Amino acid sequence: MECLELMKNFYYVGVIDHALKVFDVAVRTDRGTSYNSYLLKTKEGVVVFDGNKEVFGDEYIQHLKSVAPLDSIKYLVVTHTEPDHSGAIEKLLTLNPSITIIASAGALMNLDRILRRPFSRIQMNPAAPLTIGEYTFQFVSGLMLHWPDVMFTYIKELKVLISCDAFGAHFASDAILLSREKDLAGYQKAMVYYFEHIMRPFSSYVKVACGRVNALDLKMICPGHGPVVDVGVKEQVAVYEKLAERYLSINDPEKVTIVYATAYGYTKGMAEYLRDRFLEDHKKVAFFQIDALTYEAEKEEILSSINSSGLVLLGSPTIVGDAICLFYDLLTAIPWTVGQGKKASAFGDYGWSGEAVAHLSERLKQLHFSVLPGFRANFKLDEDAKAGLASYYETLK
Ligand code: FEO
């Protein structure tokens, strides 16, 4: 693989992995990926951006060496510490222990635990650009894309943004540059898939980051995975911004999402009662009944509705001491970033033991929803239970 000179003195020194089929256990990578690293030659020494995956340590070192002697490397900028980018740092430091690592406070803390060895360090300061040789490095932190330690580096003189995992894709491209990539449709598909599976929970942070990126004078975005964006930079940022807007969580106090399952109609009766009361009170109600046949087709619409609701109600009967399993699938698809700031509650009818409401409430708490007390009833609602359901409704308003 060539270590392409992207601009004068600025090189691509990453590793391209065509063979990868799965990333982070659950993300399919049908087009493989790349672990991107970059190298900048300055008058004050060489600056490398990002390590690599441990398994590619030898290849990474070879790529660095092909562009500059290892002992000329003075700084390593770490954009975040997930081991697909930090795993090979130990090897690099073993070969050149004098390298100073520049990173966020969180990344330096993580590196202490990843490297388990002393190393020279500079904690970046987003308020104070760093000058190395003839280049100015402006760091942007607090991005939460998709780890808390993430930072971007803007190289002012080159108009280049090193963007960590943001604006990336699991897409192994020997072209390296987007301008040279022939399969643009495949790249766009992989980029959207990457967003949906990695960045989506952080859509509000993406929106903020895009605003900051739009304020920069940019020629090139250098992400942690996939092709370097050297054409259509503004358009790529706009695609990201649009995706973030699609998945942005909005806590609309006027909107309620009710998702329920029913075995014999009792929980359905509760759900319909709650729906009708909310409608009488002029709320917008999204109403979903789920079962094993319909759930998969409805799932994305339910998630989208939850995204834009201020209140989420889950109604489940109790079967074998728990809520219906479909609710757990749904609740593992909701990130805490969506739950935050929304109210939620569980309700349901039961025959024997009635654990569903308590179990769903517990899971909703884990997802950072503000959980209101639930309501449950045993078999057919008598007058007391009907009064209890009416009181329950009042607590949800
Ligand atoms: Fe590509 Fe968050 O690691």
Side-chain angles (χ1 to χ4, degrees), residues 66-127:
S66 74
V67 178
L70 287 187
D71 61 6
S72 69
I73 300 173
K74 197 160 177 192
Y75 299 101
L76 172 68
V77 178
V78 173
T79 60
H80 85 318
T81 48
E82 193 167 7
D84 55 323
H85 306 281
S86 65
I89 293 175
E90 187 176 3
K91 181 164 279 216
L92 178 60
L93 286 193
T94 301
L95 296 166
N96 179 355
S98 69
I99 290 173
T100 296
I101 294 182
I102 303 170
S104 66
L108 291 171
M109 181 187 76
N110 285 351
L111 285 170
D112 278 326
R113 295 164 187 176
I114 289 167
L115 299 171
R116 303 285 182 196
R117 58 178 287 167
F119 59 89
S120 165
R121 66 190 70 198
I122 294 175
Q123 183 182 316
M124 66 85 207
N125 179 355

Side-chain angles (χ1 to χ4, degrees), residues 367-384:
L367 294 173
H368 297 209
F369 284 90
S370 299
V371 179
L372 303 168
F375 176 77
R376 62 178 195 164
N378 191 203
F379 288 114
K380 188 174 179 182
L381 271 62
D382 61 9
E383 291 311 310
D384 282 349

Side-chain angles (χ1 to χ4, degrees), residues 23 80 82 84-85 146-147 165 194 225:
F23 182 85
H80 85 318
E82 193 167 7
D84 55 323
H85 306 281
H146 60 132
W147 275 31
D165 285 332
Y194 186 93
H225 302 283

Side-chain angles (χ1 to χ4, degrees), residues 215-342:
L216 298 171
D217 185 7
L218 268 186
K219 271 191 185 159
M220 184 180 278
I221 296 179
C222 297
H225 302 283
V228 170
V229 182
D230 64 325
V231 284
V233 172
K234 277 205 176 310
E235 288 79 0
Q236 284 304 100
V237 177
V239 168
Y240 238 62
E241 207 163 4
K242 270 212 164 62
L243 286 166
E245 280 162 6
R246 184 192 299 170
Y247 296 120
L248 212 51
S249 175
I250 298 161
N251 301 330
D252 179 355
E254 298 303 309
K255 182 172 177 186
V256 184
T257 294
I258 301 174
V259 187
Y260 76 96
T262 196
Y264 299 105
Y266 297 127
T267 301
K268 180 180 185 183
M270 291 178 177
E272 288 176 343
Y273 171 83
L274 295 168
R275 175 197 62 192
D276 293 347
R277 292 293 308 272
F278 279 117
L279 289 174
E280 281 165 22
D281 281 341
H282 308 291
K283 301 284 187 190
K284 294 172 276 184
V285 181
F287 196 62
F288 300 94
Q289 181 182 346
I290 57 172
D291 61 37
L293 282 182
T294 60
Y295 169 68
E296 275 304 326
E298 286 181 299
K299 182 175 171 181
E300 196 52 45
E301 195 187 343
I302 293 170
L303 289 171
S304 169
S305 180
I306 288 172
N307 250 9
S308 58
S309 295
L311 173 64
V312 177
L313 298 178
L314 303 181
S316 175
T318 297
I319 294 184
V320 199
D322 210 336
I324 304 290
C325 62
L326 302 174
F327 285 98
Y328 292 105
D329 182 88
L330 186 69
L331 290 170
T332 52
I334 301 172
W336 63 266
T337 47
V338 168
Q340 220 171 25
K342 292 186 194 299

